[in-house]
Amino acid sequence: MQLQHIDLGKLKDAAVNMRHGKTVPDISDILPSIKTRGVLVPLLVRPNGDGESFEIVAGRRRYFAAKSVAADGGTVEPLPCAIMEPGDDAAALEASMLENLARLDPDEMTQYETFVRLTEAGKSLADIAATFGITELMVKRRLALGELLPKIRAAYRNEDIDAETIRHLTMASKRQQRDWLKLFADPEQYAPRGYQLKQWLFGGQQIATEVALFPLETYKGQIVSDLFGEKGYFADADRFWALQNAAIAAKRDALLEDGWTEVEICETGQRFSIWEYEKTPKKDGGRVYITVSHRGEVEVHEGWLTAKEAKAKRRAKEAADDPDTDGKPVRPELTNPAQNYLELHRHAAVRHALFSHPGAALRLMVAHAIGGSALWQTKPDPQTTRKEEIAESVAKSKAEAAFAAERKAVLELLGLPVHGHSVVRSNGDDYRVAELFAALLKLSDKDVMRVLAFVMAETLEAGTGVVEALGTQLKVDMTDYWEPDDAFFDLLRDKAAVNAMLRHIRGKAVADANVTATTKVQKKIVRDFISGEGRKKVEGWLPHYMAFPFKAYTKGGGGRLSDNTARIKSLVS
């Protein structure tokens, strides 16, 4: 029997399991523990015939509980498994594991203390793992708790901190742990957890060792290890990038030696948008693009040309295949100054003619807003936020769902791939604009106005006075789009404002009666009035913050939201 951790995707229910083929088992009793602590008791598995996966002989409920956590978006580490070997008796192995585990205290902090005593007595990790029938990684995870300050360990023992947060805290310095504890102990502050904690520790840019193109032994800086997940991160970003850039340059040189005529290294963070390029083989002049993310990830895209270049090559090939030519490049009959003279006069005539054709001008304007040109640069609002819960709240909103549906419909109207993340795809390609213009000419005025409305909406910058002016002018009723959620209340910190909100929803008497209560308690009362839990439900309530025009609850105002409202107040009636 071997003990090791196996990815969830490589496990499946075995046909020999007596419960195989039945409905998903009831996991309600073990799910909370697995969400908090992960799977502790090893599953009993055996290799599948394909050599890539494993069948579960025992531990079916633990497996389905882990799948449930993953389905809900939780982080699931590889599961501890005992791998059966030919001749092993499943019942005997399972009984042995359960007997060994019965000797191990279920509390993880007590396990840590036990393992420390054993290591001090000279026991190796393998010895401890064999004694209790668990994997060496599980022993390492418990010993990793020793990297934490006592107060953090106590909070984990009391289940005030989840397993993912603890895993990231093992990578924190003692100073960072103390700073985090201050936030954790202050009810008015937010202590980052889970993935947000990881961003907090590394300043938003974590560079994992797995992305390095260079041998790790050439890096002379510190590598911060995730002792739970056995993952490493570069502590010195400058040293990493010096080595990574040298490796990227070497990769470029190797590709050139391999026969590629051109290798373009994109700026860090620049994405390779496949719809802006055409696949072109090496023999036809295709080039290589190397993209590098801010996290150091490198991708090599072999055999591509920009759509404009690919079209130009096709036109050149068509000219070469023309029987009226000898296949050699033909010198234009017009000099560059002559071409410039004709271009300017034709431009002057066409733009004057445009005055008499507003329908064509409308369509051309929409085409430029989508495709861009040397004089037009448009892009969709990125809807950026540093808080994961805000992004999740917006993504689940009614307005965002309706916007996504309209995006798909508009892309279909234009004959563009419906899987695109945006309609606006400005790359300054005049041929692209001409294609869009031709597509828009085939649409009715009603459909063109529909496309125009969407393009304006997609390029409307968030957090501006324009949004405030538009919402006020259109009399947008936010009750049609928004409902109070956890993210909204978690972001409210001002006690006076929350008390004023309580007064808004239920009156002065209730607000005054709770004026000395904590912000948390007052927010709970507001939520109870919204839900009707223990209090008379208030239907259709909308905080001042969400109404148009925007209104703050105190003289302190709402920052730039109040500023925007003040600036456009005289402009919008």
Side-chain angles (χ1 to χ4, degrees):
M1 177 184 71
Q2 300 177 20
L3 286 169
Q4 69 180 62
H5 283 70
I6 300 174
D7 289 334
L8 185 63
K10 293 184 178 182
L11 298 171
K12 66 178 183 177
D13 208 0
V16 297
N17 191 310
M18 67 175 63
R19 298 179 180 86
H20 176 78
K22 295 185 179 181
T23 57
V24 176
D26 179 13
I27 56 175
S28 58
D29 58 331
I30 64 172
L31 186 57
S33 172
I34 287 178
K35 279 184 176 179
T36 304
R37 305 295 193 188
V39 175
L40 302 179
V41 180
L43 285 68
L44 190 59
V45 302
R46 68 181 185 184
N48 201 1
D50 58 13
E52 298 292 330
S53 60
F54 297 84
E55 294 181 338
I56 300 168
V57 178
R60 185 169 181 261
R61 293 177 69 238
R62 278 160 272 156
Y63 166 71
F64 277 102
K67 285 188 68 176
S68 176
V69 172
D72 289 340
T75 301
V76 177
E77 298 287 342
L79 306 187
C81 295
I83 304 174
M84 295 176 59
E85 297 178 355
D88 281 344
D89 179 80
L93 284 177
E94 187 173 23
S96 174
M97 283 194 300
L98 292 174
E99 180 183 357
N100 286 339
L101 285 167
R103 292 183 285 146
L104 185 61
D105 193 290
D107 179 75
E108 292 175 58
M109 293 309 306
T110 304
Q111 292 177 18
Y112 154 71
E113 293 162 358
T114 300
F115 293 168
V116 167
R117 287 196 299 270
L118 290 173
T119 55
E120 290 174 348
K123 295 289 186 180
S124 67
L125 298 184
D127 293 335
I128 298 172
T131 299
F132 295 104
I134 57 177
T135 65
E136 290 187 38
L137 179 56
M138 291 178 71
V139 178
K140 289 181 181 180
R141 287 178 173 177
R142 299 301 173 268
L143 292 174
L145 298 175
E147 301 294 322
L148 302 171
L149 295 174
K151 288 185 178 180
I152 294 179
R153 293 204 298 266
Y156 185 47
R157 187 195 293 272
N158 296 332
E159 298 186 357
D160 294 329
I161 304 176
D162 61 76
E164 184 180 7
T165 299
I166 280 292
R167 184 175 75 246
H168 295 321
L169 283 171
T170 62
M171 294 185 287
S173 66
K174 291 296 188 289
R175 179 187 58 78
Q176 288 175 316
Q177 290 182 38
R178 285 192 291 270
D179 291 343
W180 187 88
L181 267 176
K182 289 179 182 177
L183 296 175
F184 179 72
D186 188 345
E188 298 299 323
Q189 297 291 331
Y190 173 74
R193 297 168 184 255
Y195 179 73
Q196 290 179 329
L197 172 59
K198 190 175 176 184
Q199 290 184 307
W200 184 80
L201 290 173
F202 290 91
Q205 295 297 333
Q206 309 90 38
I207 303 176
T209 54
E210 61 190 27
V211 306
L213 297 183
F214 54 84
L216 290 183
E217 57 268 20
T218 62
Y219 171 80
K220 302 305 180 183
Q222 180 186 6
I223 292 179
V224 182
S225 298
D226 176 347
L227 298 180
F228 275 4
E230 292 192 329
K231 201 168 186 178
Y233 299 89
F234 293 103
D236 190 331
D238 292 338
R239 291 189 180 186
F240 162 80
W241 281 113
L243 292 169
Q244 189 78 334
N245 286 334
I248 293 170
K251 181 70 175 176
R252 174 201 58 198
D253 296 344
L255 288 164
L256 291 171
E257 290 179 7
D258 194 37
W260 292 98
T261 56
E262 189 175 353
V263 178
E264 181 174 324
I265 301 174
C266 303
E267 291 184 9
T268 303
Q270 181 180 338
R271 298 186 61 180
F272 184 78
S273 302
I274 195 170
W275 58 83
E276 296 178 357
Y277 299 84
E278 286 190 20
K279 191 70 175 171
T280 308
K282 184 193 298 185
K283 62 182 179 63
D284 292 337
R287 70 169 61 91
V288 179
Y289 292 87
I290 299 178
T291 57
V292 188
S293 76
H294 290 294
R295 295 187 300 274
E297 299 158 320
V298 177
E299 289 187 84
V300 179
H301 311 272
E302 295 186 359
W304 295 89
L305 285 176
T306 65
K308 184 176 181 179
E309 291 173 320
K311 289 176 185 176
K313 279 189 171 291
R314 282 198 296 272
R315 289 196 299 271
K317 186 176 185 304
E318 289 168 1
D321 293 340
D322 192 329
D324 294 334
T325 71
D326 58 5
K328 298 179 181 179
V330 179
R331 188 178 68 179
E333 61 185 82
L334 294 169
T335 63
N336 284 333
Q339 293 177 54
N340 181 238
Y341 171 90
L342 294 171
E343 286 170 347
L344 292 177
H345 276 283
R346 291 163 65 83
H347 173 261
V350 169
R351 70 179 181 181
H352 179 265
L354 203 56
F355 299 160
S356 304
H357 297 84
L362 170 66
R363 286 159 174 80
L364 188 58
M365 183 176 181
V366 175
H368 274 78
I370 297 172
S373 76
L375 303 179
W376 280 69
Q377 291 184 352
T378 53
K379 60 183 179 180
D381 185 87
Q383 294 184 300
T384 54
T385 176
R386 294 181 179 181
K387 288 188 172 291
E388 188 175 343
E389 60 267 32
I390 295 177
E392 183 179 357
S393 177
V394 173
K396 291 181 178 178
S397 68
K398 295 178 182 178
E400 197 66 17
F403 195 81
E406 182 67 5
R407 177 191 295 117
K408 181 178 179 182
V410 169
L411 288 169
E412 289 176 343
L413 278 175
L414 295 171
L416 297 174
V418 296
H419 60 266
H421 62 85
S422 65
V423 170
V424 174
R425 304 170 183 186
S426 178
N427 62 4
D429 183 351
D430 59 327
Y431 292 101
R432 176 65 176 277
V433 173
E435 288 177 347
L436 289 165
F437 178 56
L440 288 162
L441 285 173
K442 298 176 184 178
L443 300 182
S444 66
D445 286 353
K446 181 179 179 181
D447 283 339
V448 173
M449 293 304 294
R450 182 182 182 183
V451 175
L452 174 61
F454 184 88
V455 170
M456 185 63 257
E458 192 173 58
T459 57
L460 183 64
E461 185 180 4
T464 63
V466 178
V467 175
E468 195 65 34
L470 196 59
T472 302
Q473 181 67 32
L474 300 181
K475 296 180 172 59
V476 174
D477 186 353
M478 288 297 293
T479 57
D480 294 336
Y481 302 99
W482 177 83
E483 294 178 358
D485 57 12
D486 291 342
F488 172 71
F489 284 103
D490 288 346
L491 293 167
L492 300 180
R493 302 292 172 83
D494 190 283
K495 186 176 180 179
V498 173
N499 186 257
M501 185 180 292
L502 181 54
R503 180 174 181 172
H504 176 209
I505 194 171
R506 201 52 188 168
K508 185 175 185 299
V510 174
D512 289 350
N514 293 278
V515 71
T516 60
T518 64
T519 306
K520 181 177 181 181
V521 169
Q522 294 190 61
K523 286 194 286 187
K524 174 69 166 55
I525 296 172
V526 173
R527 300 190 73 165
D528 288 344
F529 278 120
I530 295 171
S531 65
E533 185 176 340
R535 300 179 187 272
K536 186 176 180 180
K537 186 174 183 179
V538 177
E539 300 285 355
W541 177 79
L542 191 72
H544 292 326
Y545 298 148
M546 280 295 177
F548 283 100
F550 173 85
K551 181 180 178 183
Y553 278 101
T554 71
K555 292 182 179 180
R560 58 179 178 271
L561 289 164
S562 293
D563 294 341
N564 288 338
T565 302
R567 280 197 294 268
I568 61 96
K569 188 175 182 180
S570 62
L571 303 177
V572 181
S573 57

